[in-house]
Amino acid sequence: MRLFRSFGRRNYYLAAPALIIILGIFTLANILNFYYAFTDWSIYKDEVSFVGLENFYVLTEAGHIWPDLITTIKYAISYMIAVNIYSLFIALLLEKKSRINNFFRALLFIPILLSPIATGYIFKGILSSKGVLNNIINVFTNSDISIQWLGSVTFTLFIVSLVQAWRASGIAVLIYIAGLSTIPEELIEAAKVEGANYWQIVKNIKIPLIGPSTTINICFNLIGALNVYAFIVAMTNGGPGRATEVLNIFVIKSFSSGRLGYATAGSLILFLVVAVFAFILIPILRKREVEL
Amino acid sequence: MRNRISILKYFFLAVWSIIVVGVPLWMVIINSLKPLREANKLELKLPEQWSFSENYIKTMVEGEYFKSFLNTLLVTVVSVVLILVIGSLAAWVFARAKSKTVSVFYYISIAGVLVPPAIITSIKLLKEYNIHGTYIGLIVFYISYLLAFSIFFTTGFVKTIPIELEEAAKIDGSTQLGLFFRIVFPLLKVSLIKTAILLVLIIWSDFYYAFYILGGGTEMGATLNMSLYTFASSYMFQTNWNLIFSGVVLASLPLLVFYIIGQRQIVSGIMSGATKG
């Protein structure tokens, strides 16, 4: 009892539940990735043996994993740019506190309440060749087009990334508004007195001073999009061809076909890509944040 | 001049909101009320023939709606509560400790904020622990991954609380655990609400991890999103948009209702301290 008391004077033991559960699954699973990616682990064999870089060679020759990696990065960057530009634009329109602005903030937040799977089905209905978008275009232009928005090898990846941006923009808008609201009113007034126009104020005062919001919105959105799965599954399932096959689709395809070594190799590459992006981006963005 | 700009601005916002929020929602709802042939034209018109009860009853029965809903609710509530409690205990330790070793553990704990979980080896571990394919396994997985967010947000927040409050209670001879729950935990309210909202959005919407941790089967009723996926996939071959959309409406309804009730708190909760941390 006394031992417990003296131990209890420091509160370290209170972190034990969190550490046990994080280390026992999240951390350990990521460490195991570094081992199994270099083995022939599969459901067709009882033993797991070390095969060096073979998974990565095979994956290169079969030509899947590197194109999938490029697809994932393209998707994530396109999504990140779209969601940030759009959300900042809307945030600038809605930054002042007022009833009507609150109404629009609340309204534009709604898409995030729909799950990625639900969002995917909604936009599949809108974007299919006989879908709502083509119907609307046809009504307004009195034509009879049937564009396959989800059937293009070049554009579909970007269209899906815009759908994800549509869903996530509500939160990004709120984070930008929170950033904008910390800018002191005097600064803006002073700039106006000096004769600065609206665009100059946005460019030279507002955008530099919302650094922390920008950091959050760029990093979390980029990382989240590298890990995309459900949007793709619901809308294109990797198609047409392999045009929207991102790393997580590759991981699950390999997993489902029992080739667990390949699956972990794909998973490891995803981990490394995210880690590289995070460690490059965060210090750069942090440095650029202007503190008052 | 200023007035004219602001009228123009709100006119734009109104039109824009109708296009980006109104039209998609209208399309889903209105086509979920039509019989098959009409719905598959994917138009925005009102139904010529209403098929409300047929579509929704079929979706609810085949998609095992109430079972899915209760399972999702259970998984979300249990996960979120445990993540908040376990996470803020750890955050308190990390925020107050000055030792180097402790800060190493802090960085290990918040890794999940940046890097994704390794799904394949996580499944292997959950199998070793004999909890793969169970709701407990899924909850444990969510906790293990999402604790990072709770610890990350809360640690920053604890640092803003003056330590004198705790020292006064220490003199009273309270235990560490008592001190935490009596003094610290109530002060974390703002941060906890914000974290809880984000966690609910993540867990409720999750499909990827739930699907593969609960077994990757096509079992109906496991969670709302899994049922929606399984249900919609079985109708995708013939593209029965009326049933797919009634599935979408039913799966989205609980969170929409939750939002309508708590809209003010949710919006301001996300904005509070969004720039910190």
Side-chain angles (χ1 to χ4, degrees), chain B residues 50-70:
Chain B
W50 293 78
S51 173
F52 170 71
S53 49
E54 295 90 323
N55 293 351
Y56 278 84
I57 288 172
K58 194 170 164 84
T59 312
M60 279 187 167
V61 173
E62 278 186 31
E64 300 203 28
Y65 184 64
F66 292 105
K67 191 176 154 203
S68 323
F69 169 72
L70 288 176

Side-chain angles (χ1 to χ4, degrees), chain A residues 8-9 11 14 21 24-26 29 36 86 93 101 106 115 132 135 166 213 216 223 227 229 248 252 274, chain B residues 9-10 16 20 27 41-42 93 113-114 121 124 129 140 144 176-177 205 208-209 212 225 259 263 274-275:
Chain A
R9 220 164 279 154
N11 61 7
L14 296 176
I21 200 162
I25 296 175
F26 184 85
Y36 283 105
Y86 172 66
L93 292 181
N101 283 357
S115 71
V132 169
N135 286 337
W166 173 83
S213 300
I216 291 175
I223 289 166
N227 200 24
Y229 178 75
N248 270 331
I252 289 304
V274 174
Chain B
K9 179 175 109 176
Y10 287 111
W16 185 246
V20 298
M27 179 207 71
K41 289 183 195 155
L42 289 169
V93 174
V113 170
L114 295 179
T121 41
K124 182 184 167 61
Y129 304 147
V140 168
S144 172
Q176 291 285 345
L177 202 60
S205 305
Y208 185 27
Y209 302 121
Y212 290 99
N225 280 305
Y259 179 64
Q263 178 257 320
T275 54

Side-chain angles (χ1 to χ4, degrees), chain A:
Chain A
M1 198 59 211
R2 181 183 260 177
L3 186 80
F4 185 77
R5 277 263 170 84
S6 73
F7 184 64
R9 220 164 279 154
R10 287 207 181 275
N11 61 7
Y12 291 172
Y13 69 98
L14 296 176
L19 284 171
I20 289 168
I21 200 162
I22 292 172
L23 293 170
I25 296 175
F26 184 85
T27 315
L28 189 54
N30 269 315
I31 292 171
L32 287 177
N33 241 7
F34 280 88
Y35 169 68
Y36 283 105
F38 303 99
T39 66
D40 62 354
W41 186 24
S42 97
I43 56 165
Y44 307 109
K45 289 165 78 180
D46 290 334
E47 284 161 43
V48 176
S49 44
F50 191 74
V51 293
L53 287 168
E54 201 182 291
N55 287 338
F56 295 88
Y57 284 130
V58 174
L59 295 173
T60 317
E61 275 167 28
H64 298 171
I65 203 156
W66 304 120
D68 288 356
L69 172 63
I70 304 289
T71 306
T72 311
I73 293 174
K74 271 195 207 161
Y75 178 88
I77 290 178
S78 145
Y79 161 77
M80 184 271 285
I81 291 172
V83 77
N84 275 285
I85 291 177
Y86 172 66
S87 304
L88 182 58
F89 172 69
I90 297 289
L92 285 167
L93 292 181
L94 297 177
E95 68 174 302
K96 295 243 157 51
K97 240 190 169 152
S98 73
R99 254 213 186 144
I100 187 159
N101 283 357
N102 279 342
F103 170 77
F104 280 113
R105 288 176 193 176
L107 196 65
L108 292 170
F109 185 81
I110 290 175
I112 200 146
L113 303 164
L114 310 168
S115 71
I117 285 284
T119 310
Y121 292 143
I122 295 174
F123 278 86
K124 205 172 177 177
I126 292 177
L127 299 169
S128 71
S129 58
K130 294 210 182 312
V132 169
L133 183 58
N134 285 336
N135 286 337
I136 292 176
I137 294 175
N138 287 339
V139 167
F140 279 104
T141 61
N142 202 14
S143 53
D144 189 26
I145 54 160
S146 54
I147 301 170
Q148 293 211 4
W149 301 98
L150 297 177
S152 157
V153 182
T154 22
F155 299 120
T156 299
L157 184 71
F158 301 107
I159 291 173
V160 177
S161 82
L162 293 183
V163 173
Q164 190 178 353
W166 173 83
R167 175 179 181 264
S169 57
I171 282 200
V173 166
L174 294 184
I175 291 172
Y176 274 128
I177 291 176
L180 288 166
S181 69
T182 62
I183 300 174
E185 196 60 40
E186 306 89 68
L187 260 176
I188 312 283
E189 289 306 321
K192 275 184 192 158
V193 171
E194 301 277 324
N197 64 29
Y198 180 74
W199 172 239
Q200 286 171 323
I201 293 176
V202 168
K203 204 182 99 190
N204 298 323
I205 300 179
K206 290 186 175 170
I207 292 179
L209 286 179
I210 53 168
S213 300
T214 317
T215 307
I216 291 175
N217 275 338
I218 289 182
C219 292
F220 283 146
N221 282 312
L222 191 68
I223 289 166
L226 288 168
N227 200 24
V228 66
Y229 178 75
F231 283 100
I232 307 271
V233 164
M235 290 178 75
T236 63
N237 206 10
R242 288 179 179 276
T244 59
E245 186 176 296
V246 292
L247 280 171
N248 270 331
I249 301 267
F250 171 86
V251 170
I252 289 304
K253 273 189 181 171
S254 311
F255 173 73
S256 307
S257 65
R259 289 174 296 187
L260 305 176
Y262 287 7
T264 34
S267 178
L268 180 64
I269 288 174
L270 179 67
F271 174 89
L272 293 174
V273 174
V274 174
V276 166
F277 268 103
F279 288 109
I280 293 174
L281 262 183
I282 288 170
I284 296 175
L285 291 165
R286 284 260 131 154
K287 213 181 276 173
R288 290 191 43 145
E289 285 175 10
V290 179
E291 299 280 348
L292 271 178

